[in-house]
Each structure stands twice: as C-alpha cells, then as structure tokens.
Amino acid sequence: MLKFDDDPNLSDLLSKEQLDRLEKTLGALCGHPFKILDHPRPHTSPIEFNLEAIAWLSGGDSQDIRTHAAELVSFFLFFVAKYRLAANMHHDVTHASYAELQRQNEALTASEAKYRQLSDQLQEQVEQQVAIIDKTRQKLYETARSRSVGHLAAGIAHEINNPIGFISSNLRAAGEYVSELEGALPETRHNSELLRDFKDLIAESLNGTSRIASIVSDLKTFSNIDQDNHSRCNINALLRSAIHMAQTAHGSELNIQAQLDDVQDIPGYPAKLSQAFFNLLDNAAHAIKTTESGLREGQILVKTKEDSLGIHVIVQDNGCGIPDANLDQIFDAFFTTRPVGSGTGLGLTVARDAAQAHGGEIIVESKEHIGSRFTMTVSGATGS
C-alpha cells in the first residue's frame, strides 16, 4: 500500500509483467532491445524516482538514447506513483468511511438492543401492575360480596333468634301443661292417644327449634366474614359449623363423615377459615353431584390431625375428580368447569388465600372418576 512519504522501489511500482511490456515497448520505439536492472552496471543509465535511482536501464545503441529512454521511464514511473497514491488515498478514505459506518451501525444495534430490553422490562412491569390491579379488584369484589352476604346472614340470624327463643320456651311450657293435663283428664283410650301424640308433636317441635338455633349459630359465624377479627381459632369447631352449613346448602342427605383429632387452637381469623372450610366442602359436594348416579354413593370424609408442620385439614370425596389438564388451574381466580352461572370460580382461590394467610398451603391430589383429596395445612396467622 503506497503512501505519500514512502520511498518505493521498482517492484512497488510495476509488476514483472508490466516491466516486460515496458522493455518491449522501449525496444520497439528505439529499434534496439532494453533491459531494466535492479543494480547499476557498465553502460547503464539510472531510472530516478523522487531524485533517487531505483533502477538502471541497459541496451540501446548509444548512451544518449539510453539516457533519454531512462528519463522517459522515470517520467512514466512518476505518473504511475501518482496514480497509485491517489488510488490508495481513495481506498483509505473509503475504508475509513466504511469502518465509521460499521461503528455507527454497531452503536445503533447496541442502542436498539438496549431500548428493546428496556421496552421488554417496561412491558413486564406493566403486566405485573395490571395483574396486581386485577387481583386487588377481585379481592375488593369478593370482599364486597362477602360483606353483603355477611350483613344478610347477620340480619336473618338476629330476626330468627328471638322468635325461636320464645317458641322454644313456649313449647317447653306447653309440655309441662300436657303433663299436668295428663293427671287431670279421665284415663280413656282416646285421651291417652291424644296426650301421647301431643307430647310427640311438642318433642318434635323442640327438636326442630334446636336445629334452627344451630343453623342460626352457624349463620352468626359466617356473618363475620367481612371482619378481620384476630383471635384464637378452634379448628374442629369451625369445621363442624362449616359442615352444618354445607348440609344446609346441599341438603341434609349430603353424606359427610367427620374424623376430627384433638388439635390445639391457633391464632388467626375464624371467619376466613370458616369460609375456606365451607368452600372446600362445597367443592366436594359439587364433585359428588357430578358423578353418574347409581355407580356408587357419594361420600365426603373430613379429617383433622396435627404434627410439627401444623394442623392438617383433609377434605376427601369420591366424586368426579379433576382432569390432569385442569390441576394447575383450579386455584386461578374465576377458573371453573361448572356450567355458566353455577359458580364464580373463586371458592378454591379464597381457600388458598386463607391458608396462606395462616402460614400454610393447600395440596390437592385427584384422579378423574375416582375422587379428590384437598389437604389444607395451617399454623396460625399474626394479627395486624
């Protein structure tokens, strides 16, 4: 690559082929052969470039002709060098421009990658914020719904509790009056049958009022769903209440077997735990109803046990089971396989959130057409 301050030799300016053509051309012009040499010899003339001899010319029929021919070659080499220098400068400028374009292209590529990464991070943050907003909205919706249910249940419980109280008291008084009449009336077959039937009716009515009082008590528990009162929770008592509510909701024929071990009370939120237990039982009841009738009797088994990890509440059914494809989605909010309008898809979500709020979790094991088992583990929640 020839530069302006270089001192080139003959091979830098002309190739071997070009030297051969130049020698033939000089010989044709002068009528005698010429030879361009690298070193000076007798009867040669110097070929100069930039005032220095870079080759020597031999041949020709006189010194004068060799001298003029050498000057002609020097003149030719000057323009060859000038052309080479201009070509090299053009090459250098083009190469520098190309390198600058490459550098700018790499900078733009790096900048584009950086902004794409920032865009992806921003998109991810937006999606996270949207998810948080959706979750908060769902919680607000569920809280408002639970509050309405709680207010309604509290109102119904209050209105029922008083009349049930005096109905029960009156029935007991009526029983005492019947006992008094039993001694005062003549002993006839007809009177004996009337008094026996009367006692049976009173006893049956008292049993009914007792059942209504139990339901009212359960309603009072659920009427506090919207309240976050932190207190000691008796897991077995809350489970019994949830079982009564489930049987009230799905019919007293709902077969629920309870095997409750003695477990210690834990700190937490009774209303949240009651709602979680009811949701697990409600889910099991629907699973049983989905099973084809006549194949087997639907059963729900509720168990509690305690170990070093906490208290385990197990709700097991022999219902329709959960397909493997749905197992990863059953705790997602609003996910449901029930017909439109028959379920909100929030029951298991609320149960999972309640378990997590009490330092625990819910594990599900299920086989389609065999049944499901939900194990809810809780250890207690810190009041806030």
Side-chain angles (χ1 to χ4, degrees), residues 233-236 260-266 304-307 310-312:
C233 301
N234 186 311
I235 298 297
N236 288 342
L260 308 180
D261 289 353
D262 290 334
V263 296
Q264 64 177 344
D265 294 351
I266 62 169
T304 55
K305 60 182 182 180
E306 184 174 3
D307 59 21
I311 298 174
H312 307 282

Side-chain angles (χ1 to χ4, degrees), residues 132-315:
I132 292 174
I133 292 172
D134 285 344
K135 187 175 182 180
T136 303
R137 180 174 56 82
Q138 292 164 8
K139 283 187 175 180
L140 289 174
Y141 166 77
E142 182 63 19
T143 300
R145 178 174 174 272
S146 298
R147 185 179 293 112
S148 299
V149 173
H151 288 166
L152 178 62
I156 293 174
H158 177 73
E159 294 299 327
I160 292 177
N161 202 40
N162 288 336
I164 285 298
F166 63 72
I167 289 174
S168 178
S169 176
N170 292 343
L171 287 172
R172 290 191 184 88
E176 293 175 359
Y177 294 154
V178 170
S179 297
E180 293 178 5
L181 287 173
E182 188 175 14
L185 290 175
E187 292 186 2
T188 64
R189 179 179 180 185
H190 180 67
N191 288 341
S192 298
E193 291 179 350
L194 284 177
L195 290 172
R196 186 168 57 252
D197 289 345
F198 209 168
K199 287 182 178 179
D200 291 342
L201 290 172
I202 291 174
E204 187 176 344
S205 298
L206 282 171
N207 181 52
T209 56
S210 177
R211 290 174 59 187
I212 293 174
S214 176
I215 293 173
V216 169
S217 176
D218 294 337
L219 281 175
K220 284 183 177 179
T221 299
F222 277 79
S223 67
N224 294 324
I225 286 172
D226 61 320
Q227 299 179 8
D228 286 338
N229 295 330
H230 188 267
S231 62
R232 302 295 296 179
C233 301
N234 186 311
I235 298 297
N236 288 342
L238 295 176
L239 264 175
R240 292 189 187 96
S241 177
I243 290 172
H244 292 161
M245 291 297 294
Q247 289 176 324
T248 301
H250 293 275
S252 57
E253 68 277 8
L254 184 65
N255 187 355
I256 302 179
Q257 303 296 324
Q259 300 177 5
L260 308 180
D261 289 353
D262 290 334
V263 296
Q264 64 177 344
D265 294 351
I266 62 169
Y269 303 94
K272 289 183 178 179
L273 290 174
S274 294
Q275 181 69 60
F277 298 156
F278 175 80
N279 290 349
L280 292 177
L281 290 167
D282 181 66
N283 186 71
H286 280 285
I288 289 173
K289 291 179 179 179
T290 306
T291 304
E292 295 183 14
S293 60
L295 294 179
R296 62 177 183 271
E297 181 185 1
Q299 293 181 335
I300 300 173
L301 175 62
V302 180
K303 300 171 63 176
T304 55
K305 60 182 182 180
E306 184 174 3
D307 59 21
S308 60
L309 298 178
I311 298 174
H312 307 282
V313 177
I314 301 169
V315 178

Side-chain angles (χ1 to χ4, degrees), residues 81-136:
K82 186 176 180 181
Y83 170 77
R84 292 282 183 86
L85 181 62
N88 291 340
M89 290 178 66
H90 176 73
H91 175 272
D92 291 344
V93 170
T94 303
H95 181 75
S97 298
Y98 178 73
E100 177 62 16
L101 286 174
Q102 278 193 318
R103 187 191 65 77
Q104 293 180 359
N105 181 62
E106 292 173 355
L108 286 174
T109 302
S111 178
E112 181 183 2
K114 180 180 178 181
Y115 281 108
R116 184 179 291 109
Q117 182 181 10
L118 290 174
S119 175
D120 292 342
Q121 291 176 349
L122 181 61
Q123 179 66 26
E124 184 178 353
Q125 291 177 356
V126 168
E127 291 176 354
Q128 291 175 351
Q129 291 300 317
V130 169
I132 292 174
I133 292 172
D134 285 344
K135 187 175 182 180
T136 303

Side-chain angles (χ1 to χ4, degrees), residues 70-90:
E71 291 176 352
L72 178 61
V73 173
S74 298
F75 185 73
F76 171 73
L77 290 179
F78 171 77
F79 285 98
V80 168
K82 186 176 180 181
Y83 170 77
R84 292 282 183 86
L85 181 62
N88 291 340
M89 290 178 66
H90 176 73

